[in-house]
Amino acid sequence: MVTSSKKFITLERFIHEQEHLHPAATGEFSAILHDLSLAAKLVWREVSKAGLVNILGTTDRMNISGDVVKKLDEFADETIYKAMDHGGHLCVMASEENEDILHIPEEYRSGGYVLLYDPLDGSSNIDANITIGSIFSIYKRISPEGKGTLADCLQSGYNQVAAGYVIYGSSTVFVYSTGNGVHGFTLDPTVGEFLISNENIRIPKKGKIYSMNEGNFNLWDKGMQNYINYLKEEDKATGRPYSMRYIGTMVADAHRTLMYGGIFAYPGDKKNPEGKLRLCYECNPMSYIIEQAGGRAINGKRRILDVQPTALHQHTPVFLGSEEDVKVCEEFLQGKRK
Ligand code: AHG
Ligand code: MN
Ligand code: MN
């Protein structure tokens, strides 16, 4: 007697089935996602035993954002690059851990797509065994042929053809969208496959959780401070006071916001007016996912996906989550509510 109604569909099978939704899809797309799922399993393998092998701790390097590069950052960065560089589907890559764009080695064919990625998100949490993740963003190339260019990597987020993340938590989940909804797959380590666990994830229209580093409260502008104070007031009709949850790994905080609703934000502040998070490989992919699930993602003034990047590692303030929550936040930020 079959007990579980669970469909045993692997990520590969699902990607293949979704291919017919993209008439122009040439199978390149599926191959890129397939290669990314392999990279995710390779990173998971090291993350899951990080404490046992000498891969915790830091290297002697700083990245372009001034962050100390952790050994697992470096491992994930190289693993993703090497899993993706020879498939013949990409013409260029860009990563948080590399100042310049990453070319495809001469010996491999260049393809029609572009990959930007944050190989390991939440690095400060690694040594404390707190949830971390990887983030990816995929565009079609705009340069005609041959080697990809910086312009290929600096496209507005609304041009993304796919985006997603892997969250290495109590289980390892691969979440992605190609513009037809958001789908989640959980790694079954015993068979080494990502099996579907959440098809067509929809974010609640409104939540009761806010997620941001309130340690920066005194650096925020008045509108942001007024919004936080509003969330803490008692008002049963609007579900207030909200609860505060903050993991300090964008992937984890955004994934919880996607699943439970509410708002995640990393505002700009007096010290860093553009905030801490990077537009191209953190905020654009996560905003794409949130919008595909029916949510909203802004930089305080406009939709994140409408911003035209001017630099690979540029920062942006980000406010993303349930449509209603982001709208109320926006009204406070713009001084329409006090
Ligand atoms: P990364 O590890 O890729 O540099 O990203 C860390 C980011 C993001 O994951 C998280 O939301 C944010 O840093 C947390 O910053 P604070 O520690 O300043 O709150
Ligand atoms: Mn990150
Ligand atoms: Mn990172």
Side-chain angles (χ1 to χ4, degrees), residues 24 40 43 49 58 67 84 103 156 167 177 206 233 239 253 267:
V43 173
K49 61 184 183 187
T58 55
D67 308 321
M84 305 306 294
H103 287 294
S156 291
I167 182 165
S177 175
K206 184 183 173 305
E233 289 161 356
D253 284 317

Side-chain angles (χ1 to χ4, degrees), residues 7-22 30 33 174-178 180-185 193-201:
K7 291 187 284 188
F8 291 107
I9 298 182
T10 63
L11 172 60
E12 275 67 25
R13 168 87 183 282
F14 190 85
I15 292 168
H16 189 70
E17 286 177 356
Q18 289 258 313
E19 216 170 72
H20 75 274
L21 296 174
H22 296 269
S30 308
L33 287 165
F174 188 104
V175 176
Y176 86 96
S177 175
T178 60
N180 294 288
V182 177
H183 312 291
F185 299 78
E193 291 282 7
F194 280 104
L195 299 177
I196 196 146
S197 46
N198 278 294
E199 192 171 345
N200 208 13
I201 302 171

Side-chain angles (χ1 to χ4, degrees), residues 20-317:
H20 75 274
L21 296 174
H22 296 269
T26 57
E28 273 203 300
F29 212 34
S30 308
I32 292 169
L33 287 165
H34 177 271
D35 292 348
L36 274 170
S37 75
L38 170 64
K41 292 175 201 171
L42 295 171
V43 173
W44 164 78
R45 186 179 60 185
E46 292 311 301
V47 165
S48 59
K49 61 184 183 187
L52 301 175
V53 296
N54 179 26
I55 200 162
L56 290 175
T58 55
T59 66
D60 52 5
R61 274 193 331 118
M62 300 270 269
N63 66 18
I64 180 73
S65 302
D67 308 321
V68 172
V69 176
K70 298 282 181 92
K71 287 180 187 166
L72 216 43
D73 280 324
E74 209 160 62
F75 170 82
D77 187 43
E78 286 162 13
T79 300
I80 294 172
Y81 179 80
K82 288 198 185 115
M84 305 306 294
D85 69 351
H86 56 280
H89 311 299
L90 300 174
C91 65
V92 67
M93 291 187 249
S95 151
E96 175 196 355
E97 303 307 339
N98 297 272
E99 185 170 354
D100 300 320
I101 59 175
L102 299 168
H103 287 294
I104 302 303
E106 297 291 333
E107 61 268 37
Y108 302 133
R109 191 169 52 83
S110 275
Y113 291 87
V114 177
L115 173 70
L116 294 99
Y117 62 96
D118 175 356
L120 209 79
D121 177 62
S123 309
S124 61
N125 282 326
I126 293 172
D127 296 354
N129 195 29
I130 295 167
T131 298
I132 50 183
S134 303
I135 311 172
F136 61 88
S137 169
I138 302 172
Y139 294 87
K140 276 201 77 63
R141 72 181 302 170
I142 50 177
S143 57
E145 58 183 4
K147 266 187 168 184
T149 64
L150 179 60
D152 283 316
C153 298
L154 295 181
Q155 299 183 51
S156 291
Y158 63 71
N159 274 343
Q160 288 174 105
V161 291
Y165 55 82
V166 187
I167 182 165
Y168 311 100
S170 43
S171 63
T172 292
V173 177
F174 188 104
V175 176
Y176 86 96
S177 175
T178 60
N180 294 288
V182 177
H183 312 291
F185 299 78
T186 300
L187 181 63
D188 179 338
T190 60
V191 296
E193 291 282 7
F194 280 104
L195 299 177
I196 196 146
S197 46
N198 278 294
E199 192 171 345
N200 208 13
I201 302 171
R202 302 297 292 169
I203 186 169
K205 279 295 163 208
K206 184 183 173 305
K208 296 200 297 184
I209 296 171
Y210 71 100
S211 180
M212 46 201 83
N213 183 344
E214 226 177 313
N216 297 324
F217 183 88
N218 293 337
L219 298 173
W220 290 340
D221 67 27
K222 198 76 191 96
M224 188 64 201
Q225 292 177 340
N226 292 342
Y227 175 57
I228 298 303
N229 292 332
Y230 164 80
L231 291 181
K232 292 178 174 177
E233 289 161 356
E234 177 88 24
D235 176 317
K236 291 228 179 327
T238 52
R240 287 182 289 145
Y242 274 27
S243 295
M244 203 288 266
R245 294 282 183 276
Y246 191 67
I247 299 162
T249 296
M250 183 190 197
V251 168
D253 284 317
H255 184 70
R256 184 207 50 251
T257 304
L258 172 70
M259 302 307 286
Y260 294 174
I263 184 167
F264 166 79
Y266 208 107
D269 61 40
K270 291 190 181 75
K271 273 194 202 156
N272 302 297
E274 289 307 301
K276 173 181 181 182
L277 299 182
R278 280 58 57 106
L279 173 62
C280 291
Y281 43 79
E282 289 175 317
C283 298
N284 268 338
M286 298 314 282
S287 299
Y288 180 85
I289 291 288
I290 291 291
E291 286 199 359
Q292 276 294 316
R296 186 165 164 71
I298 61 171
N299 65 2
K301 297 186 178 69
R302 57 191 305 209
R303 191 173 167 239
I304 287 272
L305 298 188
D306 287 339
V307 175
Q308 173 53 56
T310 52
L312 213 41
H313 302 283
Q314 75 184 68
H315 297 245
T316 177

